[in-house]
């Protein structure tokens, strides 16, 4: 809960600090390569491929310098196990601080900041070892998650941006559930994303 409050406070500060920024809107889309890392090596967790798409907003103090990058994305995340592919769709809201070098034609940039996830599609419970039927081998996907983004990219002709982002989950997005085991295993989402944003 403390991590979530910190992320929300940081997001609010980013929004307030951009009162004098020049804003523009666009559409962002791309590919996610997602997996989960559990606090114990409970079972094998591999990558899955998904996608993200949605409206984007950028506010910058000039062509070079510091600004804010935000979006509201429909984003697929999860992980693969031996018996089941856990895949959910989330409403993802990243709010990043953005730094641009201010170069002409091709303008490199870096971003970092918090995000929140709200599950909007996909099952909340998954059997990950169907062969045993053990309730302890089931996974619950949480309805809410939060974490931090770190990314780099480049803008071409002040219209199109292409970037690579790593999303580090700070909350427990997944957990095993078993009424007889109070010490359930918990997992955090880790996602690499390759995306393109077109501004209008």
């Amino acid at each position: 809960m403390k991590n979530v409050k910190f992320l929300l406070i940081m997001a609010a500060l980013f929004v307030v600090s951009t009162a004098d920024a020049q804003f523009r809107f666009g559409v962002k889309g791309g590919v996610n390569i997602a997996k989960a890392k559990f606090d114990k090596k409970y079972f094998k967790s591999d990558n899955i491929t998904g996608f993200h798409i949605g409206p984007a907003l950028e506010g910058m103090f000039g062509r070079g310098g510091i600004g804010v990058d935000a979006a509201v994305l429909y984003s697929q995340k999860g992980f693969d196990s031996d018996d089941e592919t856990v895949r959910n769709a989330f409403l993802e809201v990243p709010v990043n601080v953005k730094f641009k070098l201010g170069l002409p034609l091709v303008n490199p940039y870096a971003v970092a900041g918090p995000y929140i996830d709200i599950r909007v599609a996909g099952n909340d419970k998954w059997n990950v070892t169907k062969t045993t039927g053990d309730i302890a081998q089931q996974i619950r996907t949480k309805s809410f998650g939060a974490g931090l983004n770190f990314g780099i990219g480049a803008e071409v002709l002040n219209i199109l941006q292409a970037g690579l982002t790593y999303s580090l989950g700070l909350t427990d997005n997944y957990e095993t559930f078993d009424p007889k085991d109070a010490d359930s295993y918990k997992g955090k989402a880790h996602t690499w994303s390759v995306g393109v944003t077109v501004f209008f």
Side-chain angles (χ1 to χ4, degrees):
M1 182 59 73
K2 289 182 180 179
N3 285 334
V4 174
K5 289 181 179 178
F6 170 76
L7 292 173
L8 293 176
I9 291 171
M10 290 297 293
L13 290 175
F14 294 157
V15 172
V16 171
S17 66
T18 59
D20 297 325
Q22 298 296 315
F23 289 96
R24 60 179 180 163
F25 297 89
V27 175
K28 182 175 184 177
V31 176
N32 294 339
I33 301 173
K35 70 180 302 183
K37 292 186 179 180
F38 286 80
D39 52 4
K40 296 181 181 178
K41 292 185 177 180
Y42 188 48
F43 54 83
K44 186 178 180 182
S45 172
D46 290 323
N47 294 324
I48 66 164
T49 302
F51 70 90
H52 63 269
I53 190 168
L57 169 69
E58 181 188 79
M60 298 297 299
F61 295 97
R63 181 176 177 81
I66 294 179
V68 167
D69 178 283
V72 179
L73 304 173
Y74 180 91
S75 183
Q76 292 181 325
K77 298 181 182 181
F79 63 92
D80 197 18
S81 68
D82 291 335
D83 296 299
E84 183 69 78
T85 297
V86 175
R87 187 188 305 273
N88 292 95
F90 297 87
L91 184 66
E92 181 180 343
V93 183
V95 181
N96 298 314
V97 172
K98 185 177 232 176
F99 175 76
K100 290 184 180 179
L101 291 181
L103 300 180
L105 299 180
V106 179
N107 190 5
Y109 67 82
V111 296
Y115 73 87
I116 61 170
D117 275 337
I118 300 172
R119 182 170 53 82
V120 294
N123 296 331
D124 63 338
K125 297 182 180 69
W126 303 81
N127 279 328
V128 293
T129 50
K130 296 176 180 176
T131 55
T132 63
D134 185 353
I135 193 171
Q137 303 284 331
Q138 295 185 44
I139 291 292
R140 176 185 289 115
T141 302
K142 299 291 189 66
S143 298
F144 176 83
L148 293 173
N149 288 318
F150 305 92
I152 57 172
E155 180 176 283
V156 180
L157 300 176
N158 203 36
I159 296 174
L160 184 145
Q161 292 181 358
L164 174 67
T165 303
Y166 176 68
S167 299
L168 171 65
L170 297 180
T171 57
D172 294 322
N173 302 87
Y174 309 98
E175 68 174 357
T176 62
F177 61 98
D178 181 356
K180 299 178 182 178
D181 184 5
D183 186 22
S184 62
Y185 299 89
K186 301 181 186 304
K188 294 178 170 59
H190 292 255
T191 308
W192 288 95
S193 300
V194 179
V196 173
T197 306
V198 179
F199 288 100
F200 305 122

